[in-house]
Amino acid sequence: MTPYVTITVNGVPHPVAADITLAAALLNIGVTAFRRDLDGLARGPVCGMGTCFECRVVVDGIANVRACLAPVRDGMSIESSA
Ligand code: FES
């Protein structure tokens, strides 16, 4: 049985599998727009290994957290540009 944690994304709580990255959790719940570029276009994970910086989100008020490198944890609050 997969253990779950609860994360809040843009004010909405979601149960997600524990022991996965935040990027995987966000994609699993249907979030594909992690941030907006200077032209307002949606951006999302490209490399999945910390080099492209396209997966940046705000986590617990801290900006520019690379979701592909951050493990989910219970109570995490995420702001994306969905
Ligand atoms: S997906 Fe490229 S840095 Fe996270």
Side-chain angles (χ1 to χ4, degrees):
M1 184 171 163
T2 303
Y4 286 88
V5 296
T6 299
I7 64 173
T8 301
V9 181
N10 299 325
V12 179
H14 295 274
V16 297
D19 302 326
I20 61 175
T21 65
L22 179 55
L26 292 173
L27 291 171
N28 283 344
I29 61 175
V31 175
T32 56
F34 284 40
R35 67 182 191 89
R36 300 276 170 182
D37 67 14
L38 294 177
D39 295 323
L41 299 174
R43 306 299 300 184
V46 175
C47 71
M49 59 184 189
T51 59
C52 73
F53 286 72
E54 296 290 0
C55 65
R56 289 172 286 161
V57 292
V58 178
V59 177
D60 296 331
I62 300 171
N64 298 320
V65 174
R66 284 174 287 176
C68 70
L69 299 181
V72 292
R73 64 177 160 64
D74 197 42
M76 197 176 229
S77 179
I78 296 94
E79 295 168 44
S80 75
S81 296

